[in-house]
Amino acid sequence: MGHIKTVEGQLDAKGLKVAIVASRFNDFIVDKLVGGAVDALTRHGASREDLTIVRIPGAFEMPLVAQKLAASGKYDGLVCLGAVIRGATPHFDFVANECAKGLAMVSMEHNMPLGFGVLTTDNLEQAIERAGSKAGNKGVDAAMAMLETARVLAQL
Ligand code: INI
């Protein structure tokens, strides 16, 4: 049997400079995601001094802000946190799609590990479930995905 080379990321956030982009829209949900992301990163070795929280109006504005942060060269990773709730808006699809598409572009164009923690749910209850209750905390998941990806990219 031959040897299979495997690359995987260690979940060590020590020394990692991270910007957390968080929208104010639905902030009582988003604040839970931010808390989860900060907790996950610091429990894995990040120092609070290396974290920057950037508050923005809504998910639609997120890609532009993420782009500037990525281009600044100051950060090793971004964690993008928001909540787009269908019940709350007729333009749900536009906001959610533009946000996801724009963030994917930023991540690709800048080789930037980016945790996508923007909830897109049909209603408020589903958002609450994903913000620190029944279905966990997607802020934690987004932070851990960014961390793992950053550590994988560093080895490639
Ligand atoms: N922004 C969100 O982050 N979540 C939403 O659910 C939402 N809704 O419901 O409309 C939302 N809209 C605001 C949008 O992101 C922009 O801030 C706004 O259109 C001004 O550009």
Side-chain angles (χ1 to χ4, degrees):
M1 287 288 273
H3 174 74
I4 301 175
K5 181 176 165 62
T6 302
V7 177
E8 58 184 352
Q10 300 300 307
L11 299 179
D12 176 15
K14 191 165 187 293
L16 212 68
K17 294 197 170 24
V18 180
I20 297 169
V21 189
S23 51
R24 295 186 192 282
F25 209 105
N26 295 318
D27 66 350
F28 77 105
I29 296 286
V30 178
D31 286 350
K32 295 288 187 189
L33 304 178
V34 172
V38 169
D39 192 48
L41 291 169
T42 54
R43 278 190 295 119
H44 285 83
S47 111
R48 295 180 74 84
E49 289 70 41
D50 287 338
L51 305 182
T52 303
I53 298 174
V54 182
R55 297 272 181 193
I56 60 162
F60 189 80
E61 285 73 34
M62 206 169 274
L64 178 60
V65 174
Q67 176 173 263
K68 177 124 196 205
L69 289 165
S72 76
K74 294 180 186 164
Y75 303 100
D76 302 307
L78 305 180
V79 181
C80 295
L81 305 173
V84 193
I85 301 174
R86 190 180 291 273
T89 174
H91 61 242
F92 171 95
D93 292 302
F94 298 104
V95 172
N97 288 340
E98 290 310 309
C99 178
K101 195 174 69 183
L103 291 179
M105 275 174 60
V106 169
S107 179
M108 297 290 284
E109 281 181 11
H110 293 274
N111 281 311
M112 175 59 63
L114 186 156
F116 183 69
V118 180
L119 303 179
T120 53
T121 64
D122 286 333
N123 54 52
L124 192 55
E125 191 183 356
Q126 289 175 355
I128 292 169
E129 283 173 7
R130 291 160 177 74
S133 59
K134 273 200 275 189
N137 184 319
K138 297 298 176 193
V140 173
D141 297 351
M144 295 310 292
M146 179 281 298
L147 172 56
E148 184 172 349
T149 306
R151 294 312 191 200
V152 167
L153 285 177
Q155 298 175 65
L156 301 178

